């Protein structure tokens, strides 16, 4: 094992000039930021987010002003680590944020809260420098993820590796030394929550994908390293076997490869949802026309919650329920997976007529792809079969700017109103412009309500 952080990793994180980040990558990460903020806004009134913010207030306070941050869409303060924990947990519990197939998880959910917290102490931070730091977080976290998955037998949640992306983002913004960066990555890897993802799939709760703790650990690790705490090496960065995962850092960009979710549902369910959506649109049918729904997908998707969900956590991890909502309503919105939406009689009837099996061809393409096909047996005797469908929103079936901004408004406007949502969207999309400041966006994110 090397006894130092690879030089090109250190240089990329701490020294790569913002002007050496492609404009196309900065433009794309501004859209990822906007998309994540939309989910954060919609999730703010939800129970998990309220509990997380109160937990941060009670447990994760700070002793000095320089270590404090306000919690987004709340206004109260906590420590930098506590504020990141609260926002990441809030976002994590509305499963509509971005992800990257090879990581089998999510990065923006942790690095965006870190950027919001650290940025509060950098009043002169330009929009482009903020975006370059965000790109750094994405690129480091994604490689830490694939290195981790390749080196262990269990499937760990995103918090196990997006903590390293938080460290990278913070180290760039705060001017960490090479030694501090190396120790912080090691601390974050060691303390990262290696929680079992399939355990949460089997019994969905507010634990979700571990990203709240990933954000907390990442910010804490950087602070500890700045104070002299040691923890290197990070095996997923420094081990000889990990080097192939880092060889293309700064050359191949993962940011444009992140997927944008059209629905606040586990990504594993999206291919089947889209298959039903496309059959519904092509044939002009509704739930009342369907006698049976037959879904073929990959193994992990088939493990999603099989019954009728009683909580929004279960609903976001239920393949049959999500497909039934699409068949009944033609869309999946927040009110379909919470409150009265969980008692929808027509949706429950479709769930009872749905079967899920594993297709060998779909399993062979996981995790690089998320594929499924669906057959609808109609009451009139016809059988409508979809083609093999890959979920929309990723590089295979990408969304353009208009679709992403439209999604942002659908999620944000009901919570904060059109005027504030549009102001946030403009400030976010202005960040790649030379002369923009990150403070202009932050000024719109602090207070709750509209």
């Amino acid at each position: 094992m090397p006894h130092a952080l690879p030089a090109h990793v250190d240089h990329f994180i701490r020294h790569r000039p913002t002007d050496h980040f492609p404009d196309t990558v900065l433009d794309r990460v501004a859209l990822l930021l906007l998309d994540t903020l939309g989910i954060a806004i919609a999730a703010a009134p939800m129970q998990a987010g309220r509990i997380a913010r109160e937990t941060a207030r009670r447990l994760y306070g700070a002793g000095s002003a320089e270590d404090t941050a306000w919690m987004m869409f709340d206004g109260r303060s906590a420590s930098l680590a506590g504020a990141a924990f609260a926002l990441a947990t809030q976002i994590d519990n509305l499963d509509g944020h971005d992800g990257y197939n090879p990581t089998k998880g999510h990065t923006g959910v942790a690095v965006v809260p870190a950027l919001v917290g650290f940025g509060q102490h950098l009043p002169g931070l330009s929009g482009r420098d903020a975006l370059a730091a965000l790109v750094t977080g994405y690129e480091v976290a994604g490689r830490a993820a694939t290195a981790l998955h390749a080196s262990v037998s269990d499937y760990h949640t995103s918090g196990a590796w997006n903590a390293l992306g938080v460290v990278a983002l913070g180290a760039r913004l705060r001017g960490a030394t090479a030694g501090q960066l190396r120790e912080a990555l090691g601390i974050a890897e060691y303390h990262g929550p290696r929680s079992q993802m399939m355990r949460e799939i089997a019994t969905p709760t507010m634990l979700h994908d571990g990203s709240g703790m990933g954000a907390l650990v990442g910010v804490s690790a950087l602070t500890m390293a700045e104070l002299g705490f040691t923890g290197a090496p990070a095996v997923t960065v420094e081990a000889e076997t990990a080097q192939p995962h880092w060889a293309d850092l700064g050359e191949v960009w993962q940011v444009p490869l992140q997927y944008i979710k059209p629905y606040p549902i586990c990504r594993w369910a999206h291919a089947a949802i889209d298959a039903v959506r496309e059959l519904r649109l092509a044939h002009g049918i509704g739930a009342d026309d369907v006698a049976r729904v037959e879904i073929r997908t990959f193994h992990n998707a088939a493990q999603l919650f099989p019954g009728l969900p009683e909580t929004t956590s279960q609903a976001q991890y239920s393949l049959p329920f999500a497909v039934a909502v699409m068949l009944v309503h033609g869309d999946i919105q927040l009110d379909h997976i919470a409150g009265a939406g969980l008692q929808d009689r027509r949706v429950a009837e479709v769930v009872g007529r749905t079967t899920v099996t594993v297709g060998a061809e779909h399993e062979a393409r996981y995790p690089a792809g998320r594929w499924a096909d669906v057959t609808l047996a109609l009451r009139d005797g016809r059988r409508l079969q979809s083609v093999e469908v890959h979920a929309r929103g990723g590089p295979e079936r990408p969304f353009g700017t208009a679709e992403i901004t439209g999604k942002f408004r659908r999620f944000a406007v009901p919570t904060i109103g059109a005027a504030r949502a549009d102001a946030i969207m403009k400030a976010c999309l202005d960040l790649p412009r030379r002369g923009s400041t990150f403070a202009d966006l932050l000024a719109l994110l602090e207070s709750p309500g509209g």
Side-chain angles (χ1 to χ4, degrees), residues 101 103-105 149 153-156 196-202 266-270 296-306 317-320 356-359 362-371:
N101 282 348
T103 69
K104 300 188 286 187
H149 293 320
S153 58
D154 208 349
Y155 171 16
H156 299 299
Q196 302 88 7
M197 188 72 249
M198 296 311 295
R199 172 179 165 186
E200 176 66 5
I201 294 298
C266 176
R267 184 64 170 177
W268 296 347
H270 280 220
R296 296 175 70 254
T297 187
F298 53 96
H299 172 78
N300 279 0
Q303 305 308 304
L304 289 165
F305 189 75
Y317 276 155
S318 175
L319 173 56
V356 180
T357 57
V358 175
H362 302 327
E363 176 64 15
R365 289 180 285 194
Y366 176 82
R370 308 285 194 272
W371 293 82

Side-chain angles (χ1 to χ4, degrees), residues 3-5 10 14-15 167 171 175-187 221-222 224-234 238:
H3 295 290
L5 195 63
D10 176 77
R14 298 194 306 120
H15 296 306
V167 165
T177 67
Q180 289 169 341
L181 171 61
R182 181 173 184 247
E183 302 299 339
L185 290 170
I187 296 166
L222 181 59
M224 294 167 73
E226 289 172 341
L227 294 172
F229 202 89
T230 60
E238 297 193 19

Side-chain angles (χ1 to χ4, degrees), residues 281-332:
L281 291 172
H283 297 278
I285 59 170
D288 293 340
D289 301 308
V290 177
R292 293 189 312 281
V293 180
E294 302 166 8
I295 301 170
R296 296 175 70 254
T297 187
F298 53 96
H299 172 78
N300 279 0
Q303 305 308 304
L304 289 165
F305 189 75
L308 197 63
E310 297 179 355
T311 67
T312 186
S313 297
Q314 292 176 343
Q316 292 176 62
Y317 276 155
S318 175
L319 173 56
F321 180 80
V323 166
V325 170
M326 175 56 71
L327 193 55
V328 170
H329 297 289
D331 198 1
I332 305 177

